[in-house]
């Protein structure tokens, strides 16, 4: 559990609890997903679909292949998407590969096709200088900066507005003074970057503190911000963002990524979206398959490969229906029984023919013996 805790849920009103945890948002989305999938397959079990939806929601496995609007909608969705990105591409950090911001955006687009490139650019500015955005970034630096930028996006925009207003109020005397001259070709190049010395850290904390614990967007804990800003005399804006990204207390408050020393540890996890019964038949249905995610799911067997034991233990959504298998078994038994009876009848016929032929042979032999005896008697008489 995080050291910094928000308002106790038992002290909230019902309306505040529903708004804080976006319960109505998930209820609407679950019903929309159910209706969309039911149009394609009227035989689905609504209770099972809703149960799987909220199970995936609880486990944070519901954002894969979902649209950006849904992922960006709630803090839980944003944090779950960051965790999904970490699980899918942790191997990049283990290999020590360095990637550009375009390559990181391509990896994110594999999980969310309409994810905006602007957020990845803002993430890179936390790590790199404005004139070095084409440099390569390690996976560890990117994932924590991406979590900060994506999860606290609205809060960081407000902090930037406050920082710029403080810069303008306490402008440095070193700003250029424009003196009119006789030449029209003279151009004054203004520096658009923020001053390197930053602003007073204590004053900045007093200005940022009222933003903490807002209802309409996520904010870092006030105590964590105090620890960051009370340890330095002055702070720049991107230095402030980098301190947030490196803060273990804020990372624990979000509660999705491990600490930096454990980020690349553990076995790799293969994440595959679960196949529905319609997908098994080859249909392209955008429904509950998007939020049903499991670890190391075995390949779905075809109907010819399914055995009765596999069918009994498989998921009803992807299983082959049992009646078709049960009907095929009596047919095979009846065929085998008929074959046995026909074989028995043929064997009996063969024995009967053999006995008859044997009788004929014996009778012919007896008749030949009688004829021989008659010839002998006739010879004796002569």
């Amino acid at each position: 559990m995080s050291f910094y805790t928000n308002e106790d849920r038992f002290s909230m009103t019902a309306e505040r609890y529903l708004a804080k945890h976006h319960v109505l948002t998930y209820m609407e989305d679950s019903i929309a997903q159910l209706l969309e999938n039911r149009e394609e397959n009227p035989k689905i079990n609504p209770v099972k679909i809703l149960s799987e939806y909220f199970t995936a929601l609880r486990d944070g496995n519901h954002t894969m292949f979902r649209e950006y609007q849904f992922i960006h909608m709630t803090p839980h969705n944003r944090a779950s998407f960051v965790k999904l990105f970490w699980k899918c591409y942790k191997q990049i950090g283990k290999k020590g590969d360095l990637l550009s911001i375009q390559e990181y955006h391509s990896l994110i687009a594999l999980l969310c096709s309409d994810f905006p490139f602007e957020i990845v650019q803002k993430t890179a500015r936390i790590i790199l200088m404005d004139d070095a955005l084409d440099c390569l970034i390690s996976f560890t630096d990117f994932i924590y900066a991406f979590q900060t930028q994506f999860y606290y996006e609205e809060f960081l925009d407000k902090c930037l507005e406050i920082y710029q207003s403080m810069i303008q109020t306490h402008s440095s005397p070193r700003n250029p003074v424009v003196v009119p001259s006789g030449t029209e070709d003279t151009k004054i190049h203004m520096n658009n970057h923020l001053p390197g010395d930053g602003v007073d850290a204590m004053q900045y904390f007093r200005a940022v503190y009222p933003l903490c614990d807002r209802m309409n967007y996520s904010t870092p804990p006030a105590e964590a911000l105090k620890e960051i800003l009370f340890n330095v005399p002055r702070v720049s804006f991107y230095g402030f963002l980098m301190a947030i990204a490196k803060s273990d207390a804020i990372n624990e408050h979000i509660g999705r990524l491990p600490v930096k020393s454990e980020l690349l540890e553990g076995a790799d996890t293969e994440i595959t979206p679960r196949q529905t019964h319609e997908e098994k038949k080859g249909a392209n249905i955008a429904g509950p398959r998007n939020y049903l995610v499991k670890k190391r799911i075995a390949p779905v067997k075809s109907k010819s490969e399914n055995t009765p034991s596999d069918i009994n233990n498989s998921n009803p959504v992807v299983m082959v229906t049992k009646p078709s298998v049960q009907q095929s078994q009596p047919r095979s038994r009846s065929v085998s029984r008929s074959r046995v009876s026909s074989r028995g009848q043929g064997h009996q016929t063969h024995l009967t023919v053999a006995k008859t032929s044997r009788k004929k042979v014996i009778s012919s032999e007896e008749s030949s013996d009688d004829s021989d005896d008659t010839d002998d008697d006739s010879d004796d008489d002569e």
Side-chain angles (χ1 to χ4, degrees):
M1 179 180 290
S2 175
F3 176 76
Y4 305 103
T5 58
N6 292 330
E7 183 179 359
D8 186 3
R9 62 177 181 174
F10 296 106
S11 62
M12 299 182 189
T13 62
E15 292 77 10
R16 182 176 175 84
Y17 181 85
L18 293 176
K20 184 177 180 62
H21 297 282
H22 304 273
V23 176
L24 297 181
T25 300
Y26 293 118
M27 291 295 296
E28 292 175 358
D29 183 68
S30 63
I31 298 301
Q33 293 289 315
L34 175 61
L35 294 178
E36 183 180 358
N37 196 48
R38 194 169 186 177
E39 291 178 358
E40 302 292 339
N41 182 17
K43 296 182 180 181
I44 61 173
N45 186 352
V47 176
K48 183 173 181 59
I49 293 297
L50 293 177
S51 175
E52 291 175 343
Y53 177 91
F54 286 103
T55 300
L57 177 66
R58 179 198 63 192
D59 299 336
N61 297 328
H62 63 296
T63 58
M64 177 178 277
F65 306 141
R66 292 300 302 269
E67 62 278 4
Y68 173 75
Q69 181 181 3
F70 175 76
I71 296 174
H72 189 265
M73 192 175 296
T74 68
H76 178 67
N77 290 358
R78 299 185 192 186
S80 299
F81 186 78
V82 173
K83 184 179 180 180
L84 176 66
F85 179 83
W86 165 64
K87 284 185 175 181
C88 290
Y89 303 118
K90 183 169 61 174
Q91 187 65 25
I92 296 176
K94 288 185 177 182
K95 293 181 179 180
D97 296 336
L98 303 178
L99 303 180
S100 64
I101 58 176
Q102 290 80 9
E103 291 171 327
Y104 278 115
H105 179 255
S106 298
L107 295 177
I108 294 175
L110 295 176
L111 305 176
C112 175
S113 59
D114 60 342
F115 198 92
F117 181 67
E118 181 184 0
I119 296 179
V120 183
Q121 282 183 317
K122 291 182 178 180
T123 300
R125 289 192 178 97
I126 300 177
I127 306 169
L128 306 172
M129 300 294 292
D130 286 343
D131 56 352
L133 293 180
D134 56 345
C135 294
L136 304 181
I137 306 173
S138 67
F139 180 80
T140 302
D141 292 338
F142 179 83
I143 190 66
Y144 287 112
F146 177 63
Q147 175 181 246
T148 300
Q149 178 61 49
F150 190 43
Y151 190 77
Y152 294 124
E153 183 178 6
E154 294 82 1
F155 171 76
L156 299 185
D157 291 341
K158 296 290 185 181
C159 290
L160 179 59
E161 294 177 3
I162 294 174
Y163 185 87
Q164 291 176 340
S165 64
M166 293 179 65
I167 290 293
Q168 293 175 359
T169 303
H170 305 88
S171 60
S172 173
R174 291 174 292 176
N175 287 343
V177 178
V178 180
V179 179
S181 61
T183 61
E184 297 179 356
D185 297 334
T186 304
K187 295 181 180 180
I188 304 298
H189 296 280
M190 301 294 293
N191 186 4
N192 294 326
H193 297 290
L194 299 177
D197 55 356
V199 297
D200 184 86
M202 292 289 293
Q203 294 181 359
Y204 190 57
F205 174 75
R206 296 190 188 98
V208 169
Y209 180 78
L211 301 176
C212 296
D213 200 19
R214 290 293 184 91
M215 278 292 298
N216 51 349
Y217 54 81
S218 300
T219 62
E223 291 296 326
L225 297 180
K226 185 177 180 180
E227 291 179 3
I228 294 173
L229 296 175
F230 277 35
N231 292 326
V232 291
R234 302 184 69 82
V235 64
S236 65
F237 179 69
Y238 289 110
F240 174 62
L241 298 190
M242 178 57 74
I244 293 177
K246 292 183 177 181
S247 174
D248 292 335
I250 295 178
N251 179 61
E252 185 183 359
H253 174 75
I254 298 175
R256 295 300 187 275
L257 298 179
V259 295
K260 187 175 182 179
S261 60
E262 301 176 358
L263 184 68
L264 305 178
E265 295 181 357
D268 295 333
T269 303
E270 180 182 353
I271 301 179
T272 306
R274 186 192 224 164
Q275 286 186 326
T276 62
H277 187 59
E278 289 73 22
E279 285 178 312
K280 186 182 175 185
K281 292 181 178 179
N284 184 15
I285 300 174
R289 73 177 188 273
N290 293 336
Y291 57 76
L292 299 177
V293 180
K294 277 193 171 183
K295 298 181 180 179
R296 299 192 180 278
I297 296 180
V300 180
K301 296 182 179 180
S302 62
K303 292 183 178 181
S304 60
E305 295 174 346
N306 279 330
T307 60
S309 60
D310 294 334
I311 295 171
N312 293 333
N313 297 328
S314 61
N315 193 304
V317 179
V318 299
M319 66 180 288
V320 179
T321 55
K322 295 174 66 176
S324 61
V325 178
Q326 292 177 351
Q327 290 174 0
S328 62
Q329 292 177 353
R331 292 177 182 175
S332 61
R333 291 176 181 174
S334 62
V335 171
S336 62
R337 288 175 182 174
S338 62
R339 289 178 180 175
V340 171
S341 60
S342 62
R343 290 178 181 177
Q345 293 175 359
H347 183 63
Q348 293 175 357
T349 305
H350 177 71
L351 293 177
T352 305
V353 173
K355 290 180 180 180
T356 306
S357 60
R358 184 177 179 184
K359 288 181 180 180
K360 290 180 179 181
V361 171
I362 294 173
S363 60
S364 62
E365 290 178 353
E366 290 177 352
S367 61
S368 62
D369 292 341
D370 294 338
S371 62
D372 292 341
D373 293 339
T374 305
D375 294 337
D376 292 339
D377 293 336
S378 61
D379 292 338
D380 293 338
D381 291 338
E382 292 176 359

